[in-house]
Amino acid sequence: MENTADFKVYEQQIWEDISIYLYGTAVYAMDLAMLNNRSVTEDIEPGKVIKVFTDKEMNRLVLYSLQSNSSVPATAVDLSHMEPEPEGIGYWIIKKNFIVT
Amino acid sequence: MARKIEEIQESIMFAKNTEPALSGLTSNSKTAVWQLWTYIIATAVWTLETLFDRHKEEVDDALAQLKPHSLRWYRNKALAFQHGFDLVEGSDVFRTEYYDIQTDSFIPASEDQISNSKIIKYSAVTEAQGESRLIIKIATETGRELSPIPNDQKINFETYINEIKDAGVRITVLNYEPDILKLQLKIYRNPLVLDANGTRIQGTGGGGQPVKEAIRQYMKDLPFNGELVLAHLTDRLQKIEGVEIPHILGASTRWIDSTSGVYGTFTGLDVKKIPSSGYFKVLFADDLNSGDPGYQQQLENASTIEYVV
């Protein structure tokens, strides 16, 4: 059994964010999702306590850079905050989103 | 097999270099916007490739589990046995409902009823040496310890196995009391940590007999029908704080003889042994109560630990 600890998820974090935040690399995203019996494409509720590995190899350079800037990766797309743009010929702008190829 | 993120990013870079329209992107900075986009795409592709790998593993596993005639199939079928339930007619799958006489109808069973009816908790299937026969070893769990299932349930289990088995396959079901493992240990202790009885003097949990606990835990960690290796047991004991040298003076086992139905005589154990019943039981002499009716017999089976400095 691998060593694990608890971790509280920040708002709008996806598994890749948690992996980068803890280990400095995204490659453990899948392992973290599987450890918690979740899918890697599933959203995680903010504040949820999940299990994380404590014995994974870290990329210290990335971690140092994140910590020195007090950065917390959180890149989930919140669809509820997205305003749907109106579509149609009346709204399209030539050469911007109305491109004839 | 999924490629690494770096490998995927390199292949994107290679494709980018062959595209004249993208020749304007020349920045060497690792954080240049176009470089970051290649990384994001590479990560997304890596996620997808890893998901494909997992999917393939799951499909392979499902195929391996479903393949008939394999030992694993028989093991899964043994574990799927539901005491008190009938099979769906013409199939090897149990009904999820049971017949009620009063209402003369089938009543769907609750999840609890189904899980309680699955009495076989451990199973291992091996082929007999020297003859064409399958040996199915089974055990259930009583009070967190492995134990055989009652005889009437064993008869039901055999009926079920005979119903679902492939034609021409001969099967023996082993539902025996555990093999007895008798150890004679000499533990060179650190007197600062362990007292003369092997009791922990201080520490988290306070008291307790770590050597006995470690032996019990080793037996518990051993898979059903798993091989007991004395060297591994010694390794486990070596890790205990306060144990300087764990020395196994002697080890022997006895098991239920298939012809007489009672325990045979003790046989010495040199290096390793797969238990005949599928699991071992260890009793310790100082845990026994001399007032018990079967005290003498238990004492005969009991392991002894001598603590020396």
Side-chain angles (χ1 to χ4, degrees):
Chain A
M1 183 67 198
E2 283 169 287
N3 295 321
T4 57
D6 287 343
F7 173 78
K8 202 170 171 182
V9 178
Y10 288 90
E11 205 161 320
Q12 287 196 302
Q13 279 197 315
I14 58 171
W15 294 104
E16 279 83 356
D17 292 327
I18 299 167
S19 178
I20 292 172
Y21 182 65
L22 295 172
Y23 315 111
T25 164
V27 297
Y28 301 121
M30 186 74 73
D31 296 332
L32 283 172
M34 287 186 68
L35 178 70
N36 290 281
N37 281 328
R38 300 283 288 263
S39 159
V40 76
T41 53
E42 219 175 321
D43 289 337
I44 327 164
E45 309 84 70
K48 186 177 171 57
V49 176
I50 59 163
K51 292 256 172 256
V52 296
F53 302 105
T54 55
D55 51 2
K56 293 286 183 201
E57 202 180 320
M58 297 178 188
N59 186 335
R60 297 198 180 276
L61 224 75
V62 174
L63 283 179
Y64 179 72
S65 166
L66 285 174
Q67 281 160 12
S68 57
N69 292 312
S70 304
S71 298
V72 179
T75 58
V77 179
D78 188 350
L79 292 175
S80 64
H81 288 172
M82 286 175 81
E83 285 178 24
E85 277 187 33
E87 291 277 335
I89 202 155
Y91 296 97
W92 290 338
I93 302 163
I94 292 172
K95 284 194 174 175
K96 193 179 172 201
N97 52 6
F98 183 21
I99 301 165
V100 181
T101 52
Chain B
M1 182 74 188
R3 294 169 294 167
K4 287 181 178 173
I5 295 177
E6 292 79 18
E7 288 171 1
I8 300 168
Q9 200 177 4
E10 265 175 39
S11 66
I12 296 173
M13 291 294 191
F14 181 78
K16 179 250 164 201
N17 290 336
T18 57
E19 178 59 58
L22 298 174
S23 59
L25 303 172
T26 52
S27 171
N28 285 327
S29 167
K30 274 201 167 180
T31 52
V33 172
W34 72 272
Q35 292 250 23
L36 291 177
W37 274 112
T38 60
Y39 182 77
I40 290 168
I41 299 299
T43 308
V45 171
W46 169 81
T47 305
L48 204 58
E49 287 188 9
T50 317
L51 279 174
F52 287 155
D53 280 356
R54 301 278 185 217
H55 178 65
K56 187 172 177 298
E57 273 171 32
E58 276 176 27
V59 172
D60 284 349
D61 189 50
L63 285 175
Q65 299 278 345
L66 285 173
K67 192 179 163 196
H69 316 300
S70 71
L71 297 181
R72 207 179 298 129
W73 181 82
Y74 277 96
R75 178 180 174 271
N76 287 344
K77 279 292 170 196
L79 293 173
F81 172 65
Q82 285 177 236
H83 182 58
F85 284 78
D86 197 5
L87 291 169
V88 175
E89 208 175 328
S91 88
D92 56 9
V93 182
F94 278 98
R95 299 185 79 112
T96 53
E97 67 259 304
Y98 59 90
Y99 181 69
D100 185 56
I101 303 168
Q102 283 177 340
T103 57
D104 190 25
S105 60
F106 280 95
I107 297 175
S110 68
E111 275 185 33
D112 277 353
Q113 282 173 319
I114 290 177
S115 70
N116 289 339
S117 72
K118 290 187 175 176
I119 52 169
I120 311 288
K121 305 288 183 202
Y122 301 90
S123 171
V125 181
T126 53
E127 283 175 299
Q129 286 179 337
E131 64 168 320
S132 173
R133 180 178 291 278
L134 280 186
I135 311 280
I136 303 182
K137 297 182 186 181
I138 51 169
T140 189
E141 215 172 47
T142 322
R144 301 183 72 187
E145 276 201 10
L146 276 73
S147 63
I149 59 171
N151 220 24
D152 59 322
Q153 294 181 357
K154 188 200 167 197
I155 293 167
N156 296 354
F157 177 75
E158 283 175 329
T159 312
Y160 157 67
I161 287 293
N162 285 328
E163 181 90 22
I164 63 157
K165 74 181 176 69
D166 296 294
V169 175
R170 279 175 293 176
I171 289 176
T172 302
V173 176
L174 291 190
N175 174 47
Y176 290 158
E177 290 284 337
D179 289 27
I180 303 288
L181 175 66
K182 187 175 178 179
L183 297 165
Q184 286 144 295
L185 295 173
K186 194 172 194 177
I187 303 288
Y188 288 82
R189 67 186 171 97
N190 177 353
L192 300 175
V193 181
L194 293 181
D195 72 7
N197 296 319
T199 307
R200 195 189 288 117
I201 298 168
Q202 274 298 335
T204 47
Q209 293 189 299
V211 174
K212 281 190 200 171
E213 286 162 20
I215 294 171
R216 288 200 185 104
Q217 191 57 42
Y218 178 77
M219 294 302 153
K220 208 176 255 183
D221 293 347
L222 213 58
F224 189 70
N225 210 37
E227 193 169 51
L228 167 86
V229 181
L230 288 180
H232 294 170
L233 178 61
T234 314
D235 291 346
R236 185 70 73 94
L237 297 176
Q238 186 75 70
K239 286 183 188 160
I240 302 169
E241 193 200 9
V243 171
E244 301 282 331
I245 310 166
H247 182 49
I248 299 177
L249 291 170
S252 49
T253 64
R254 68 194 296 197
W255 56 91
I256 299 277
D257 189 84
S258 57
T259 46
S260 64
V262 293
Y263 279 107
T265 51
F266 274 106
T267 310
L269 169 57
D270 281 341
V271 181
K272 56 187 183 173
K273 171 94 171 79
I274 294 176
S276 299
S277 61
Y279 54 114
F280 283 111
K281 187 175 188 174
V282 184
L283 288 169
F284 294 102
D286 53 346
D287 288 345
L288 302 177
N289 184 355
S290 56
D292 279 349
Y295 175 70
Q296 275 308 323
Q297 201 191 342
Q298 285 181 334
L299 192 65
E300 200 187 322
N301 292 335
S303 299
T304 51
I305 309 175
E306 185 190 353
Y307 293 92
V308 292
V309 180

